[in-house]
Amino acid sequence: MMNELDRVIINHLQDGIPVCEHPFAVVADQLNITEDRLIERVQALLNDGTLSRFGPLYDIEKIGGIYSLVAMKVSPEAVNDVITVINSYPEVAHNYERDHDFNLWFVVALDSEERLPFLLADIEKRTGYRAYNMPKLDEYYVGLKFHA
């Protein structure tokens, strides 16, 4: 269960982190906590699964790359193994499981569209499951803020 500080940290970090020599120190100062405390709380949220990923979000298309959403139909007993394979690719931004025939979804970010078929073929070969490419047609931003 998130506490008030965790909610404040998550809300604040969604608005961006400064690009500077000590970004955590700057953010910690803005939140009136220590840099060590901020790093400790972010790590704890990653460790307990509240956050699945913490890192930069690039507009890959502005630098010439692509995003694509990929869906897979994976047997329930193989989901964890397939997730492990998917997570081994640095191109995978995030993934999630759904209660649907297409039960595993993930987003890939690549430097070129030409690499996508090779990446998906490799994932299929390693997992034994087909990867259905669903390229982005339009983009929408949905922010998630927690009441502190």
Side-chain angles (χ1 to χ4, degrees), residues 59-131:
D59 188 341
I60 193 83
E61 292 166 332
K62 284 187 178 177
I63 56 176
I66 64 153
Y67 285 117
S68 195
L69 179 65
V70 181
M72 298 177 82
K73 294 180 180 181
V74 178
S75 67
E77 59 275 2
V79 165
N80 288 335
D81 291 336
V82 172
I83 288 171
T84 299
V85 170
I86 290 168
N87 285 344
S88 73
Y89 291 87
E91 298 89 348
V92 173
H94 59 278
N95 65 64
Y96 41 97
E97 189 176 357
R98 292 284 187 241
D99 184 19
H100 187 271
D101 286 344
F102 289 98
N103 56 337
L104 191 57
W105 296 76
F106 58 97
V107 174
V108 294
L110 297 162
D111 58 357
S112 71
E113 191 167 351
E114 293 77 27
R115 286 193 52 227
L116 183 60
F118 298 103
L119 176 77
L120 297 182
D122 194 54
I123 289 172
E124 290 177 349
K125 179 181 175 185
R126 289 181 61 200
T127 64
Y129 290 92
R130 180 155 180 220

